[in-house]
């Protein structure tokens, strides 16, 4: 069964304290790995897509990396406005279809 | 540039009732996908509509059905509501029947009492 697991479930950081969020996946037919940010009461907002092991993408204080079994979202010197739930999702191909399977997310709180 | 819009934002129903949720995709997008997000969970794929046809479906019962109109807007219908259907229902739009780089709306919060 295809699975996407995120850890930790929740993370509290002091402003400026760098850390990483983990997304591990056991899927067949991975076509891409996506990261989204979700604020309370809002829909997910697209951040990155990674397609192959070794690939890296950066945006402001965020950097996403991908290996054959997991992806990391590195947050450098976070600010309070980075507080949100971060979701990863695997785009899986099978029987002619492509579906996104999401993890449960990591709730990040950045304390001033 | 209008993003993905969903209506209503909140809805309260009782068990056994039927509900219709609506979605207008981002300007220029022709594909609409629906997701269910329970509290504390990630979104779960319900189905995708492209060219007015259901193209892909997740593991949801036939009580969940949908429609896409010629202007690309879409409806999600849920019959015989159960308490477990209480969730945030998200609509996402994309281009060309693909699931790449989805743009999500803010969702409809459905409560079933």
């Amino acid at each position: 069964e295809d699975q996407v697991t995120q850890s930790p479930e929740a993370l509290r950081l002091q402003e400026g304290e760098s850390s990483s969020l983990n997304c591990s996946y056991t899927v067949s037919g991975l076509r891409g790995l996506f990261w989204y940010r979700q604020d309370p009461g809002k829909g997910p907002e697209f951040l990155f897509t990674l397609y192959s092991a070794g690939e890296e993408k950066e945006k402001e204080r965020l950097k996403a990396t991908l290996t054959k079994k997991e992806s990391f979202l590195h947050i450098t010197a976070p600010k309070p406005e980075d507080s949100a739930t971060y979701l990863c999702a695997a785009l899986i191909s099978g029987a002619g279809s492509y579906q996104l399977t999401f993890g449960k997310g990591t709730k990040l709180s950045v304390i001033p | 540039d209008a993003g993905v819009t969903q209506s209503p934002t909140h809805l309260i129903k009782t068990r056994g009732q039927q509900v219709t949720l609506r979605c207008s995709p981002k300007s220029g997008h022709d594909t609409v996908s629906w997701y269910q997000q329970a509290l504390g969970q990630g979104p779960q794929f319900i189905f995708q509509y492209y060219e007015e046809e259901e193209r892909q479906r997740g593991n949801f019962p036939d009580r969940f059905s949908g429609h896409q109109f010629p202007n690309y807007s879409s409806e999600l219908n849920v019959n015989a509501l159960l308490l477990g259907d209480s969730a945030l229902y998200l609509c996402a739009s994309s281009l060309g029947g693909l699931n790449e780089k989805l743009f999500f709306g803010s969702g409809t919060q459905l409560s079933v009492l």
Side-chain angles (χ1 to χ4, degrees):
Chain A
E1 182 184 347
D2 297 323
Q3 278 195 325
V4 176
T5 304
Q6 292 188 246
S7 62
E9 291 184 6
L11 181 63
R12 284 171 61 95
L13 298 174
Q14 292 292 322
E15 184 173 1
E17 180 186 2
S18 300
S19 188
S20 296
L21 312 182
N22 177 264
C23 171
S24 64
Y25 58 91
T26 51
V27 302
S28 54
L30 181 74
R31 301 290 294 183
L33 193 292
F34 295 74
W35 283 96
Y36 285 85
R37 168 191 171 130
Q38 187 172 25
D39 292 299
K42 302 287 187 182
E45 176 187 352
F46 172 81
L47 292 173
F48 303 110
T49 309
L50 302 165
Y51 290 104
S52 55
E55 189 174 358
E56 298 184 353
K57 294 272 181 75
E58 284 190 68
K59 179 181 179 180
E60 297 180 355
R61 295 177 292 281
L62 301 177
K63 183 168 84 171
T65 61
L66 182 66
T67 72
K68 289 186 177 180
K69 293 185 178 179
E70 56 193 349
S71 178
F72 293 93
L73 184 65
H74 307 278
I75 303 176
T76 301
K79 298 182 178 182
E81 53 262 40
D82 294 322
S83 297
T85 295
Y86 290 85
L87 296 162
C88 76
L91 183 62
I92 301 164
S93 67
S97 70
Y98 297 85
Q99 294 188 12
L100 269 182
T101 297
F102 281 84
K104 293 183 179 181
T106 293
K107 184 176 181 179
L108 174 66
S109 301
V110 182
I111 313 303
Chain B
D1 179 21
V4 179
T5 58
Q6 292 188 242
S7 64
T9 55
H10 295 83
L11 202 52
I12 299 175
K13 292 285 188 179
T14 56
R15 279 183 299 174
Q17 285 190 312
Q18 178 264 344
V19 68
T20 298
L21 311 181
R22 296 177 176 82
C23 171
S24 292
K26 177 180 166 65
S27 178
H29 282 185
D30 57 9
T31 303
V32 172
S33 300
W34 287 93
Y35 288 80
Q36 180 195 67
Q37 187 175 25
L39 193 63
Q41 304 292 314
Q44 278 197 293
F45 175 70
I46 303 175
F47 43 54
Q48 180 195 68
Y49 277 85
Y50 172 59
E51 295 183 329
E52 300 181 49
E53 291 187 9
E54 182 183 296
R55 297 290 180 164
Q56 302 182 62
R57 190 178 184 94
N59 190 25
F60 278 80
D62 292 344
R63 297 186 298 110
F64 290 77
S65 63
H67 188 77
Q68 186 179 35
F69 299 94
N71 66 353
Y72 308 125
S73 67
S74 176
E75 289 181 349
L76 164 65
N77 300 294
V78 186
N79 294 324
L81 284 167
L82 304 174
L83 296 179
D85 294 331
S86 296
L88 179 67
Y89 287 85
L90 294 163
C91 169
S93 74
S94 57
L95 197 56
L98 300 177
N99 279 317
E100 307 283 339
K101 197 173 182 180
L102 298 178
F103 287 81
F104 283 85
S106 291
T108 294
Q109 184 65 54
L110 172 65
S111 298
V112 182
L113 305 178

